[in-house]
Amino acid sequence: GDSSTRAFDAQSASKLYVRVEKEHSWVLVGDFNTEFAAASGVKPTLSAYNRAVTGAATHLERGNLALDAFVLRDRTRQQVVEFAPNGTSGPYPLPAGNIVANSERVELVVRDRQNQQVVLRSTALTRFDDYELEELSGRILFKSPVWSFDADGNPVFVRVTFEVDTDQPAFTTAGAQVTARVGERTSVAGRMVREDDPAAPYTLQGAVVQTQLAPGLQATAEIARSGRGGLEAASGTGARVEVKGTAGPVELAAVVTRTSEGFENPSSGVMPGRLDATAGASLRISDSLKAVAKLGEGRDAVSEAQQATAYAGVEATPMPGLLVEAGVRKLHDTGATAAVGGTAETDVTTLRGKVSLQPRKLPELTVFAEAEQALEDSSRRLLAGGVSYQIGAGTKLYGRHEFVNTLPVLS
């Protein structure tokens, strides 16, 4: 009937799927994901290698050491497509003809409206429940409309990662990671992946250190190197440091990422030739009052565009269901806004306020109004309002209307 649910009977696209487990170790032959994070507990970003493939994989543990490895032989290559939805369910076109069946990973990516290189959150979608994909025609159709912006005005993008058949002789791809626990708070991992693609061989190496600085406060440092051969040969490096968590009444989140122009890793979601840094902190003053501060900087080595943002403000809940936000925002931009209709250089300071109301008798409903005014130019302002309604655990309806928006366009 119409309410039926479709699913795969087996985890393998081939005719064979075997998995043997002993305690925390296992060996499998069949379909698997090449990312080791789920088994090792160490989650990389720059050296992430996330593909849906068919081959053999293993996870072995002994004491404080863990080994993850995989090997496969096929003729596929990973491709990533990211696009802005138009507010409808589609269909949206993808490269047609060579998409490997059941190899896709679909995500909704929300980027910061002040700096679209910064990903605020990513939500993985499920085939048949959230979308359907036609591999031959290269079309993806969602079960419900995909909005262009979230309730806070941040742009939403659809990212589709899939395998493409290269129509060339099969080649070997292999990878391994060794993870070691050093004491009770620190884990260290080293990894390497190699694709023996005769047309464009590829290697990826990375090292990650993850440590607990204090209860509730974690730090991660990572370095990575990629190399691509063939006609478009290039190599590059990347580094990333992240600190996040809580320390008493203070909540912290800071990330610094830098990549050289030759760095290439589609699974990382990081662009080459970039320096991006964000830092945010909040201080709980009382049960109803919180001070917040945010800093951000982005630099592009190719276009030489630079962008710096700063925000300081307070968030108050004078009564249950009522949230009042007020603060000062600073933006200095050179070159980034020009590509999307802005001026060659922007330097603006604004006052911002937002009021959100969640009725006590209808907690699923939230109504908000937002205003922002530039101090240097009275003609630059933002006036917006909207509503959101939580239907269930994973579904929210929201609408936002900007009555006036003459603030700088950001990229």
Side-chain angles (χ1 to χ4, degrees), residues 327-346:
V328 180
R329 192 193 311 274
K330 175 73 173 180
L331 166 67
H332 181 80
D333 184 286
T334 304
T337 61
V340 288
T343 59
E345 184 170 356
T346 300

Side-chain angles (χ1 to χ4, degrees), residues 90-109:
Y92 297 97
L94 297 174
N98 293 328
I99 299 177
V100 177
N102 307 323
S103 68
E104 84 283 349
R105 186 174 73 255
V106 182
E107 304 165 273
L108 293 184
V109 179

